[in-house]
Protein backbone atom coordinates (compact mmCIF):
# COMPACT_ATOMS: atom_id res chain seq x y z
CA UNK A 1 0.00 0.00 0.00
CA UNK A 2 1.33 3.41 -0.94
CA UNK A 3 2.72 5.75 1.68
CA UNK A 4 3.63 8.53 -0.76
CA UNK A 5 2.41 12.03 0.12
CA UNK A 6 5.02 14.27 -1.44
CA UNK A 7 3.60 14.31 -4.97
CA UNK A 8 6.62 12.74 -6.66
CA UNK A 9 5.76 10.83 -9.79
CA UNK A 10 5.69 7.06 -9.40
CA UNK A 11 5.76 5.42 -12.81
CA UNK A 12 4.01 2.22 -13.74
CA UNK A 13 3.35 0.29 -16.94
CA UNK A 14 3.95 1.43 -20.49
CA UNK A 15 0.86 2.23 -22.57
CA UNK A 16 0.39 1.15 -26.18
CA UNK A 17 1.48 4.64 -27.26
CA UNK A 18 4.84 4.10 -25.63
CA UNK A 19 4.02 6.63 -22.91
CA UNK A 20 4.75 5.45 -19.37
CA UNK A 21 1.54 5.19 -17.38
CA UNK A 22 1.90 6.49 -13.82
CA UNK A 23 0.36 4.69 -10.91
CA UNK A 24 -3.27 5.79 -10.57
CA UNK A 25 -3.14 6.76 -6.90
CA UNK A 26 -0.31 9.17 -6.28
CA UNK A 27 -2.03 11.84 -4.22
CA UNK A 28 -5.38 13.58 -3.83
CA UNK A 29 -5.09 17.16 -5.12
CA UNK A 30 -7.75 19.04 -3.17
CA UNK A 31 -5.75 22.27 -3.09
CA UNK A 32 -2.66 23.55 -4.85
CA UNK A 33 -0.01 24.12 -3.67
CA UNK A 34 -0.27 21.60 -0.82
CA UNK A 35 0.50 22.76 2.71
CA UNK A 36 3.71 20.71 2.70
CA UNK A 37 5.02 23.31 0.23
CA UNK A 38 4.32 26.15 2.68
CA UNK A 39 7.13 27.65 4.73
CA UNK A 40 7.37 30.28 7.50
CA UNK A 41 7.04 33.76 5.99
CA UNK A 42 10.06 35.78 7.05
CA UNK A 43 8.38 39.13 6.47
CA UNK A 44 5.11 38.08 8.22
CA UNK A 45 3.05 40.36 5.96
CA UNK A 46 0.17 42.30 7.48
CA UNK A 47 -3.24 41.01 6.44
CA UNK A 48 -4.58 44.47 5.65
CA UNK A 49 -1.78 44.92 3.13
CA UNK A 50 -2.32 41.47 1.63
CA UNK A 51 -6.02 42.09 1.05
CA UNK A 52 -5.86 45.79 0.15
CA UNK A 53 -6.03 45.33 -3.62
CA UNK A 54 -7.97 42.04 -3.74
CA UNK A 55 -11.52 41.57 -5.00
CA UNK A 56 -13.59 40.85 -1.90
CA UNK A 57 -17.14 40.73 -3.20
CA UNK A 58 -17.35 36.91 -3.67
CA UNK A 59 -15.21 35.39 -0.94
CA UNK A 60 -15.43 31.88 0.46
CA UNK A 61 -15.36 31.47 4.25
CA UNK A 62 -14.02 28.35 5.98
CA UNK A 63 -14.02 27.74 9.74
CA UNK A 64 -11.88 24.86 10.96
CA UNK A 65 -12.65 22.83 14.09
CA UNK A 66 -9.70 20.52 14.86
CA UNK A 67 -11.42 18.04 17.19
CA UNK A 68 -12.73 14.50 16.76
CA UNK A 69 -14.09 11.88 19.15
CA UNK A 70 -11.71 9.34 17.55
CA UNK A 71 -9.10 9.46 14.81
CA UNK A 72 -9.68 7.10 11.91
CA UNK A 73 -6.78 4.92 10.85
CA UNK A 74 -6.47 6.57 7.43
CA UNK A 75 -6.83 10.18 8.63
CA UNK A 76 -4.01 12.68 8.15
CA UNK A 77 -6.20 15.72 8.69
CA UNK A 78 -5.24 18.38 11.19
CA UNK A 79 -7.24 17.18 14.20
CA UNK A 80 -6.85 15.85 17.73
CA UNK A 81 -8.84 13.38 19.82
CA UNK A 82 -10.94 15.06 22.47
CA UNK A 83 -10.74 18.51 24.00
CA UNK A 84 -9.87 18.43 27.71
CA UNK A 85 -9.94 21.32 30.16
CA UNK A 86 -12.47 23.44 28.28
CA UNK A 87 -10.24 23.47 25.22
CA UNK A 88 -13.22 24.01 22.88
CA UNK A 89 -14.10 27.20 24.77
CA UNK A 90 -10.55 28.50 24.53
CA UNK A 91 -10.42 27.54 20.86
CA UNK A 92 -13.64 29.42 20.07
CA UNK A 93 -12.29 32.41 22.00
CA UNK A 94 -9.22 32.39 19.75
CA UNK A 95 -11.37 31.90 16.66
CA UNK A 96 -13.37 34.98 17.72
CA UNK A 97 -10.17 37.02 18.10
CA UNK A 98 -8.90 35.87 14.73
CA UNK A 99 -12.22 36.65 13.02
CA UNK A 100 -12.19 40.16 14.46
CA UNK A 101 -8.64 40.77 13.25
CA UNK A 102 -9.32 39.36 9.79
CA UNK A 103 -12.52 41.32 9.27
CA UNK A 104 -10.70 44.50 10.31
CA UNK A 105 -7.96 43.67 7.80
CA UNK A 106 -10.50 43.29 4.97
CA UNK A 107 -11.50 46.91 5.50
CA UNK A 108 -14.58 48.79 4.34
CA UNK A 109 -13.29 50.78 1.39
CA UNK A 110 -14.94 48.35 -1.04
CA UNK A 111 -17.65 45.70 -0.90
CA UNK A 112 -16.88 42.70 1.32
CA UNK A 113 -19.23 39.79 0.75
CA UNK A 114 -19.10 36.07 1.34
CA UNK A 115 -20.57 33.86 -1.37
CA UNK A 116 -20.13 30.52 0.41
CA UNK A 117 -19.29 29.14 3.85
CA UNK A 118 -18.17 25.81 5.25
CA UNK A 119 -17.39 24.34 8.67
CA UNK A 120 -14.82 21.57 8.47
CA UNK A 121 -12.34 19.73 10.57
CA UNK A 122 -11.79 17.53 12.33
CA UNK A 123 -15.46 17.23 13.11
CA UNK A 124 -17.32 20.54 13.57
CA UNK A 125 -20.20 18.72 15.29
CA UNK A 126 -17.76 17.65 18.00
CA UNK A 127 -18.87 21.02 19.38
CA UNK A 128 -22.09 20.88 21.38
CA UNK A 129 -25.24 22.69 20.29
CA UNK A 130 -24.41 25.88 22.18
CA UNK A 131 -20.88 25.95 20.80
CA UNK A 132 -22.18 25.44 17.26
CA UNK A 133 -24.47 28.42 17.79
CA UNK A 134 -21.44 30.45 18.83
CA UNK A 135 -19.52 29.24 15.78
CA UNK A 136 -22.33 30.54 13.55
CA UNK A 137 -22.29 33.84 15.44
CA UNK A 138 -18.57 34.20 14.70
CA UNK A 139 -19.23 33.68 11.00
CA UNK A 140 -22.16 36.10 10.96
CA UNK A 141 -21.48 38.77 13.57
CA UNK A 142 -17.71 38.95 13.29
CA UNK A 143 -17.20 38.18 9.60
CA UNK A 144 -20.49 39.44 8.20
CA UNK A 145 -21.42 36.23 6.36
CA UNK A 146 -25.19 35.83 5.90
CA UNK A 147 -25.42 32.09 6.54
CA UNK A 148 -29.10 31.92 5.64
CA UNK A 149 -28.49 33.47 2.24
CA UNK A 150 -25.46 31.51 1.00
CA UNK A 151 -24.55 27.82 0.74
CA UNK A 152 -23.32 26.53 4.11
CA UNK A 153 -21.71 23.09 4.21
CA UNK A 154 -20.94 21.31 7.48
CA UNK A 155 -19.08 18.05 8.12
CA UNK A 156 -20.31 15.57 10.73
CA UNK A 157 -19.85 12.01 11.96
CA UNK A 158 -22.32 9.30 13.02
CA UNK A 159 -21.59 9.77 16.71
CA UNK A 160 -21.92 13.56 16.72
CA UNK A 161 -24.90 13.99 14.39
CA UNK A 162 -27.26 14.42 17.33
CA UNK A 163 -30.73 15.93 17.06
CA UNK A 164 -29.88 19.07 19.07
CA UNK A 165 -26.76 19.82 17.03
CA UNK A 166 -28.58 19.25 13.74
CA UNK A 167 -31.41 21.52 14.86
CA UNK A 168 -28.96 24.37 15.43
CA UNK A 169 -27.37 23.89 12.01
CA UNK A 170 -30.73 23.70 10.25
CA UNK A 171 -31.94 26.82 12.03
CA UNK A 172 -28.77 28.76 11.20
CA UNK A 173 -29.00 28.03 7.49
CA UNK A 174 -26.97 24.89 6.77
CA UNK A 175 -27.74 23.75 3.24
CA UNK A 176 -25.45 20.71 3.10
CA UNK A 177 -24.37 18.11 5.64
CA UNK A 178 -21.53 15.73 4.81
CA UNK A 179 -21.19 12.56 6.89
CA UNK A 180 -18.20 10.26 6.80
CA UNK A 181 -19.60 6.73 6.76
CA UNK A 182 -16.77 5.11 4.73
CA UNK A 183 -18.36 1.63 4.91
CA UNK A 184 -21.68 0.12 5.94
CA UNK A 185 -19.87 -3.15 6.67
CA UNK A 186 -18.82 -3.30 10.32
CA UNK A 187 -15.72 -5.41 9.68
CA UNK A 188 -14.51 -2.96 7.04
CA UNK A 189 -15.11 -0.01 9.34
CA UNK A 190 -13.03 -1.77 11.96
CA UNK A 191 -10.26 -2.49 9.41
CA UNK A 192 -10.13 1.24 8.64
CA UNK A 193 -9.91 1.95 12.38
CA UNK A 194 -13.34 3.57 12.16
CA UNK A 195 -15.07 2.49 15.40
CA UNK A 196 -18.74 2.50 14.45
CA UNK A 197 -21.55 0.07 13.79
CA UNK A 198 -24.00 0.16 10.96
CA UNK A 199 -26.93 0.60 13.33
CA UNK A 200 -25.34 3.81 14.65
CA UNK A 201 -24.76 5.05 11.10
CA UNK A 202 -28.34 4.36 10.05
CA UNK A 203 -29.68 6.14 13.15
CA UNK A 204 -27.53 9.19 12.38
CA UNK A 205 -28.72 9.27 8.78
CA UNK A 206 -32.30 9.14 10.01
CA UNK A 207 -31.71 12.14 12.27
CA UNK A 208 -30.10 14.07 9.40
CA UNK A 209 -33.08 13.44 7.15
CA UNK A 210 -35.41 14.47 9.98
CA UNK A 211 -33.53 17.78 10.23
CA UNK A 212 -34.49 18.53 6.60
CA UNK A 213 -31.15 19.99 5.62
CA UNK A 214 -31.45 20.22 1.81
CA UNK A 215 -28.36 18.27 0.77
CA UNK A 216 -27.04 15.09 2.37
CA UNK A 217 -23.60 13.91 1.27
CA UNK A 218 -22.32 10.46 2.21
CA UNK A 219 -18.60 9.68 2.03
CA UNK A 220 -17.57 6.11 1.19
CA UNK A 221 -14.07 4.62 0.88
CA UNK A 222 -12.85 1.87 -1.42
CA UNK A 223 -9.65 -0.14 -1.07
CA UNK A 224 -10.14 -1.14 2.58
CA UNK A 225 -8.40 -4.34 3.63
CA UNK A 226 -10.76 -7.27 3.05
CA UNK A 227 -13.17 -5.28 0.87
CA UNK A 228 -14.55 -7.10 -2.17
CA UNK A 229 -16.74 -6.15 -5.12
CA UNK A 230 -19.69 -7.66 -3.23
CA UNK A 231 -19.12 -5.75 0.01
CA UNK A 232 -18.44 -2.53 -1.93
CA UNK A 233 -21.75 -2.99 -3.76
CA UNK A 234 -23.39 -3.59 -0.37
CA UNK A 235 -22.15 -0.23 0.95
CA UNK A 236 -23.16 1.57 -2.24
CA UNK A 237 -26.67 0.13 -2.08
CA UNK A 238 -26.97 0.91 1.63
CA UNK A 239 -26.06 4.53 0.92
CA UNK A 240 -28.47 4.73 -2.02
CA UNK A 241 -31.31 3.66 0.27
CA UNK A 242 -31.13 7.16 1.76
CA UNK A 243 -31.21 8.80 -1.69
CA UNK A 244 -28.38 11.20 -0.79
CA UNK A 245 -28.18 14.27 -2.97
CA UNK A 246 -24.41 13.73 -3.16
CA UNK A 247 -22.01 10.83 -2.76
CA UNK A 248 -18.24 11.00 -2.53
CA UNK A 249 -16.24 7.88 -3.34
CA UNK A 250 -12.72 8.11 -1.94
CA UNK A 251 -9.82 5.76 -2.61
CA UNK A 252 -8.10 4.71 0.59
CA UNK A 253 -4.65 6.18 1.06
CA UNK A 254 -2.13 5.03 3.65
CA UNK A 255 -0.09 8.01 4.80
CA UNK A 256 2.85 8.43 7.18
CA UNK A 257 2.10 8.98 10.88
CA UNK A 258 -1.52 7.80 10.57
CA UNK A 259 -2.84 4.73 12.36
CA UNK A 260 -2.76 2.58 9.23
CA UNK A 261 0.44 4.22 8.04
CA UNK A 262 2.33 2.75 10.96
CA UNK A 263 1.30 -0.71 9.78
CA UNK A 264 1.90 -0.27 6.04
CA UNK A 265 5.01 -1.47 4.26
CA UNK A 266 5.92 -0.31 0.79
CA UNK A 267 3.70 -0.09 -2.27
CA UNK A 268 1.45 -2.67 -3.80
CA UNK A 269 0.51 -2.69 -7.49
CA UNK A 270 -2.26 -5.19 -6.76
CA UNK A 271 -3.83 -2.67 -4.38
CA UNK A 272 -3.74 -0.06 -7.13
CA UNK A 273 -5.56 -2.48 -9.43
CA UNK A 274 -8.12 -3.27 -6.73
CA UNK A 275 -8.86 0.39 -6.06
CA UNK A 276 -9.17 1.17 -9.77
CA UNK A 277 -11.54 -1.78 -10.22
CA UNK A 278 -13.69 -0.71 -7.27
CA UNK A 279 -13.71 2.89 -8.49
CA UNK A 280 -15.07 1.85 -11.86
CA UNK A 281 -17.64 -0.39 -10.23
CA UNK A 282 -18.81 2.41 -7.95
CA UNK A 283 -18.86 4.98 -10.75
CA UNK A 284 -20.87 2.75 -13.06
CA UNK A 285 -23.28 1.79 -10.28
CA UNK A 286 -24.04 5.39 -9.38
CA UNK A 287 -24.38 6.43 -13.01
CA UNK A 288 -26.85 3.59 -13.53
CA UNK A 289 -28.90 5.00 -10.65
CA UNK A 290 -29.14 8.39 -12.33
CA UNK A 291 -26.31 10.22 -10.54
CA UNK A 292 -24.11 12.62 -12.49
CA UNK A 293 -20.34 12.53 -12.13
CA UNK A 294 -18.93 15.90 -11.05
CA UNK A 295 -15.33 14.79 -10.49
CA UNK A 296 -13.44 11.58 -9.85
CA UNK A 297 -14.82 11.54 -6.31
CA UNK A 298 -18.09 13.45 -6.44
CA UNK A 299 -21.46 12.23 -7.73
CA UNK A 300 -24.67 14.25 -7.54
CA UNK A 301 -28.35 13.60 -8.08
CA UNK A 302 -29.57 15.72 -11.03
CA UNK A 303 -32.45 17.11 -8.94
CA UNK A 304 -30.22 18.12 -6.02
CA UNK A 305 -30.07 21.81 -5.05
CA UNK A 306 -26.90 23.42 -6.33
CA UNK A 307 -24.12 23.55 -3.76
CA UNK A 308 -21.43 25.00 -5.94
CA UNK A 309 -19.29 27.34 -3.89
CA UNK A 310 -21.16 30.59 -3.95
CA UNK A 311 -23.63 29.53 -6.60
CA UNK A 312 -23.14 31.36 -9.90
CA UNK A 313 -20.86 34.19 -8.78
CA UNK A 314 -17.99 32.39 -7.05
CA UNK A 315 -15.11 30.72 -8.90
CA UNK A 316 -12.57 28.79 -6.83
CA UNK A 317 -9.90 29.42 -9.49
CA UNK A 318 -10.03 33.20 -9.13
CA UNK A 319 -11.86 34.29 -5.97
CA UNK A 320 -10.39 34.54 -2.50
CA UNK A 321 -10.74 32.30 0.53
CA UNK A 322 -10.79 33.34 4.17
CA UNK A 323 -9.84 30.50 6.50
CA UNK A 324 -10.31 30.80 10.25
CA UNK A 325 -8.86 28.29 12.70
CA UNK A 326 -5.43 26.77 13.12
CA UNK A 327 -5.88 24.22 10.31
CA UNK A 328 -7.49 26.55 7.78
CA UNK A 329 -5.81 28.17 4.82
CA UNK A 330 -6.52 31.51 3.17
CA UNK A 331 -5.98 32.51 -0.45
CA UNK A 332 -5.20 35.85 -2.01
CA UNK A 333 -4.17 36.11 -5.65
CA UNK A 334 -0.51 36.35 -4.66
CA UNK A 335 -0.21 34.42 -1.38
CA UNK A 336 -1.67 31.29 0.16
CA UNK A 337 -1.20 31.24 3.92
CA UNK A 338 -2.12 29.32 7.05
CA UNK A 339 -0.57 28.19 10.32
CA UNK A 340 1.94 25.40 10.89
CA UNK A 341 0.98 21.96 9.60
CA UNK A 342 1.45 18.54 11.19
CA UNK A 343 0.01 15.02 11.20
CA UNK A 344 1.53 13.61 14.39
CA UNK A 345 -0.84 13.98 17.33
CA UNK A 346 1.71 15.52 19.68
CA UNK A 347 2.68 18.14 17.12
CA UNK A 348 -0.98 18.94 16.43
CA UNK A 349 -1.70 19.43 20.13
CA UNK A 350 1.19 21.87 20.38
CA UNK A 351 -0.02 23.89 17.39
CA UNK A 352 -3.58 24.03 18.77
CA UNK A 353 -2.31 25.14 22.17
CA UNK A 354 -0.24 27.88 20.54
CA UNK A 355 -3.26 29.02 18.53
CA UNK A 356 -5.49 29.27 21.60
CA UNK A 357 -3.01 31.57 23.36
CA UNK A 358 -2.38 33.82 20.33
CA UNK A 359 -3.59 37.39 20.76
CA UNK A 360 -2.35 39.01 17.53
CA UNK A 361 -3.82 37.52 14.35
CA UNK A 362 -3.04 40.50 12.13
CA UNK A 363 -0.21 38.88 10.14
CA UNK A 364 0.30 35.84 7.92
CA UNK A 365 2.68 33.35 9.50
CA UNK A 366 3.17 30.40 7.13
CA UNK A 367 2.46 30.21 3.42
CA UNK A 368 3.62 30.25 -0.18
CA UNK A 369 3.74 33.06 -2.72
CA UNK A 370 1.88 32.45 -5.98
CA UNK A 371 3.47 33.76 -9.18
CA UNK A 372 2.03 33.71 -12.69
CA UNK A 373 3.13 30.17 -13.46
CA UNK A 374 1.67 28.80 -10.22
CA UNK A 375 -1.60 30.68 -10.83
CA UNK A 376 -1.83 29.04 -14.26
CA UNK A 377 -1.18 25.60 -12.79
CA UNK A 378 -3.75 26.11 -10.07
CA UNK A 379 -6.39 27.29 -12.55
CA UNK A 380 -5.74 24.34 -14.85
CA UNK A 381 -5.78 21.83 -11.99
CA UNK A 382 -8.96 23.08 -10.37
CA UNK A 383 -10.75 23.24 -13.72
CA UNK A 384 -9.48 20.12 -15.46
CA UNK A 385 -10.17 17.81 -12.52
CA UNK A 386 -13.88 18.66 -12.79
CA UNK A 387 -15.91 16.48 -15.16
CA UNK A 388 -17.27 19.53 -17.00
CA UNK A 389 -13.75 20.53 -18.02
CA UNK A 390 -12.18 23.93 -18.62
CA UNK A 391 -13.29 26.66 -20.99
CA UNK A 392 -10.17 27.58 -22.95
CA UNK A 393 -11.44 31.10 -23.63
CA UNK A 394 -11.83 31.77 -19.89
CA UNK A 395 -8.27 30.65 -19.31
CA UNK A 396 -6.97 32.81 -22.16
CA UNK A 397 -8.95 35.83 -20.96
CA UNK A 398 -7.32 35.58 -17.56
CA UNK A 399 -3.75 34.77 -18.60
CA UNK A 400 -3.60 36.04 -22.25
CA UNK A 401 -2.06 32.70 -23.26
CA UNK A 402 -3.69 29.32 -23.87
CA UNK A 403 -3.19 26.11 -21.88
CA UNK A 404 -1.57 24.38 -24.87
CA UNK A 405 1.02 27.16 -25.00
CA UNK A 406 1.70 27.05 -21.26
CA UNK A 407 1.67 23.27 -20.75
CA UNK A 408 2.44 21.65 -24.12
CA UNK A 409 4.39 18.67 -22.79
CA UNK A 410 1.92 17.84 -20.04
CA UNK A 411 -1.16 18.06 -22.25
CA UNK A 412 0.53 16.06 -25.02
CA UNK A 413 1.31 13.33 -22.49
CA UNK A 414 -2.24 13.31 -21.17
CA UNK A 415 -3.52 13.00 -24.73
CA UNK A 416 -1.14 10.12 -25.47
CA UNK A 417 -2.41 8.32 -22.37
CA UNK A 418 -6.00 8.74 -23.53
CA UNK A 419 -6.85 11.01 -20.62
CA UNK A 420 -8.28 13.88 -22.70
CA UNK A 421 -11.70 13.82 -24.33
CA UNK A 422 -11.02 14.24 -28.04
CA UNK A 423 -14.70 14.90 -28.75
CA UNK A 424 -14.80 18.02 -26.54
CA UNK A 425 -13.78 20.40 -29.34
CA UNK A 426 -11.05 23.07 -29.42
CA UNK A 427 -12.82 25.41 -27.00
CA UNK A 428 -13.09 22.92 -24.14
CA UNK A 429 -10.36 21.01 -22.35
CA UNK A 430 -12.03 18.02 -20.70
CA UNK A 431 -10.92 14.68 -19.30
CA UNK A 432 -12.08 11.39 -20.76
CA UNK A 433 -13.60 8.81 -18.38
CA UNK A 434 -10.15 7.24 -18.17
CA UNK A 435 -8.63 10.63 -17.42
CA UNK A 436 -11.08 11.18 -14.57
CA UNK A 437 -10.22 7.73 -13.24
CA UNK A 438 -6.55 8.78 -13.13
CA UNK A 439 -7.15 12.20 -11.54
CA UNK A 440 -4.81 11.33 -8.66
CA UNK A 441 -1.97 10.82 -11.13
CA UNK A 442 -2.87 13.65 -13.50
CA UNK A 443 -3.09 16.29 -10.78
CA UNK A 444 0.40 15.75 -9.34
CA UNK A 445 1.84 15.71 -12.88
CA UNK A 446 0.95 19.41 -13.09
CA UNK A 447 2.85 20.40 -9.95
CA UNK A 448 5.65 22.86 -10.66
CA UNK A 449 9.26 21.75 -10.07
CA UNK A 450 9.54 24.29 -7.24
CA UNK A 451 6.44 23.02 -5.45
CA UNK A 452 7.50 19.43 -6.02
CA UNK A 453 10.91 20.18 -4.48
CA UNK A 454 9.38 21.96 -1.49
CA UNK A 455 7.01 19.06 -0.84
CA UNK A 456 9.85 16.55 -1.11
CA UNK A 457 11.95 18.60 1.34
CA UNK A 458 9.13 18.85 3.87
CA UNK A 459 9.93 16.98 7.08
CA UNK A 460 6.84 15.01 8.03
CA UNK A 461 5.88 15.71 11.63
Amino acid sequence: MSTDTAGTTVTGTTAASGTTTPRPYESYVYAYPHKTAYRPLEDRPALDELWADEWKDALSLYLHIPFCEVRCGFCNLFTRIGAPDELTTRYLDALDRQATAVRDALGDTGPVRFAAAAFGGGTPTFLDAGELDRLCDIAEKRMGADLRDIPLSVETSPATATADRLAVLADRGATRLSIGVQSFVDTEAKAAVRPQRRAEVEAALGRIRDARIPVLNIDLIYGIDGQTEETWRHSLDAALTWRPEELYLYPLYIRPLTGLGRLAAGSDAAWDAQRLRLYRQGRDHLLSHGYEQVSMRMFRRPDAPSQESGGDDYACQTDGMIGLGCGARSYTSALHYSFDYAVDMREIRTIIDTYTTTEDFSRAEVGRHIDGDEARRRHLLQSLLQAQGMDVADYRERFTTGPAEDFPAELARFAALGWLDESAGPGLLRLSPEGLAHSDALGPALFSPAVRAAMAAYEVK
Side-chain angles (χ1 to χ4, degrees):
M1 295 184 179
S2 174
T3 59
D4 175 61
T5 59
T8 53
T9 300
V10 184
T11 57
T13 60
T14 301
S17 63
T19 301
T20 301
T21 305
R23 292 184 56 200
Y25 300 104
E26 186 179 330
S27 65
Y28 173 25
V29 184
Y30 58 90
Y32 179 79
H34 190 269
K35 271 189 178 181
T36 53
Y38 290 13
R39 293 295 183 270
L41 299 167
E42 294 183 3
D43 55 345
R44 296 180 65 243
L47 299 188
D48 57 356
E49 296 175 2
L50 287 177
W51 286 98
D53 297 323
E54 298 288 317
W55 289 101
K56 292 167 279 192
D57 59 346
L59 297 170
S60 184
L61 177 64
Y62 179 77
L63 276 66
H64 179 252
I65 304 299
F67 307 111
C68 289
E69 70 275 15
V70 295
R71 194 176 197 190
C72 303
F74 52 83
C75 179
N76 73 334
L77 297 179
F78 189 94
T79 188
R80 61 160 291 163
I81 300 171
D85 304 322
E86 298 184 341
L87 181 56
T88 55
T89 298
R90 289 185 280 118
Y91 185 84
L92 289 172
D93 289 345
L95 199 67
D96 199 320
R97 293 194 299 272
Q98 185 189 7
T100 300
V102 171
R103 184 59 189 86
D104 288 347
L106 293 177
D108 294 307
T109 57
V112 177
R113 173 182 167 267
F114 291 94
F119 302 159
T123 308
T125 50
F126 179 89
L127 302 177
D128 64 31
E131 291 170 329
L132 284 172
D133 225 10
R134 185 182 179 192
L135 186 68
C136 292
D137 281 345
I138 291 172
E140 290 193 334
K141 297 177 181 179
R142 292 289 184 263
M143 296 304 301
D146 187 348
L147 298 182
R148 291 178 179 84
D149 193 48
I150 61 175
L152 169 60
S153 179
V154 184
E155 296 171 4
T156 191
S157 68
T160 61
T162 58
D164 58 339
R165 291 175 169 102
L166 296 172
V168 168
L169 295 174
D171 180 65
R172 298 302 294 262
T175 56
R176 177 180 183 271
L177 204 72
S178 179
I179 182 168
V181 173
Q182 320 314 352
S183 176
F184 283 87
V185 179
D186 288 349
T187 55
E188 290 179 4
K190 183 177 181 181
V193 194
R194 177 85 179 180
Q196 65 188 30
R197 295 193 176 277
R198 178 170 177 176
E200 298 165 346
V201 172
E202 300 280 0
L205 289 168
R207 292 191 296 270
I208 292 170
R209 282 310 196 195
D210 289 344
R212 299 186 180 279
I213 293 172
V215 172
L216 164 64
N217 173 72
I218 296 177
D219 288 346
L220 297 176
I221 284 182
Y222 54 92
I224 300 171
D225 188 31
Q227 192 176 48
T228 66
E229 285 86 347
E230 291 74 22
T231 61
W232 178 227
R233 170 73 174 264
H234 179 78
S235 282
L236 291 166
D237 286 339
L240 287 170
T241 299
W242 293 95
R243 298 202 72 240
E245 285 73 20
E246 295 177 2
L247 275 157
Y248 270 73
L249 308 184
Y250 286 96
L252 179 64
Y253 275 92
I254 305 299
R255 299 176 174 99
L257 302 185
T258 63
L260 293 179
R262 295 183 177 93
L263 305 176
S267 62
D268 187 349
W271 190 41
D272 283 348
Q274 179 209 21
R275 285 181 289 176
L276 199 55
R277 184 172 62 252
L278 294 176
Y279 159 77
R280 289 174 172 141
Q281 177 190 352
R283 174 198 63 193
D284 293 347
H285 194 57
L286 295 186
L287 293 176
S288 73
H289 279 74
Y291 282 76
E292 297 175 343
Q293 186 166 18
V294 179
S295 67
M296 172 188 165
R297 287 164 170 76
M298 182 181 179
F299 297 81
R300 178 190 292 143
R301 267 177 36 198
D303 60 342
S306 174
Q307 292 294 303
E308 294 293 333
S309 296
D312 296 331
D313 64 345
Y314 178 84
C316 64
Q317 300 93 332
T318 56
D319 288 310
M321 161 94 70
I322 296 292
L324 302 178
C326 58
R329 65 183 88 202
S330 298
Y331 306 145
T332 71
S333 59
L335 180 72
H336 291 188
Y337 63 93
S338 183
F339 296 94
D340 200 7
Y341 172 72
V343 176
D344 181 76
M345 192 63 70
R346 289 171 297 181
E347 297 282 352
I348 289 173
R349 286 197 293 263
T350 298
I351 294 170
I352 293 173
D353 288 343
T354 300
Y355 175 82
T356 61
T357 58
T358 298
E359 295 293 335
D360 182 5
F361 287 101
S362 65
R363 294 181 175 275
E365 302 290 340
V366 177
R368 187 169 188 87
H369 293 280
I370 306 298
D371 61 17
D373 175 67
E374 297 294 13
R376 285 173 166 81
R377 291 178 185 276
R378 180 171 182 260
H379 187 106
L380 182 60
L381 274 168
Q382 293 190 307
S383 304
L384 193 55
L385 294 181
Q386 300 298 306
Q388 66 184 14
M390 186 186 76
D391 188 305
V392 174
D394 287 347
Y395 181 98
R396 186 176 291 278
E397 181 180 0
R398 182 179 179 193
F399 298 112
T400 72
T401 54
E405 300 166 59
D406 295 334
F407 304 101
E410 293 91 336
L411 293 179
R413 180 166 174 259
F414 299 160
L417 289 165
W419 290 357
L420 299 183
D421 182 358
E422 296 179 354
S423 69
L428 182 65
L429 194 59
R430 184 172 63 199
L431 296 183
S432 65
E434 197 64 11
L436 278 175
H438 287 81
S439 292
D440 286 7
L442 185 149
L446 288 170
F447 292 2
S448 71
V451 164
R452 196 175 287 273
M455 293 175 70
Y458 175 77
E459 184 177 347
V460 179
K461 60 182 180 180

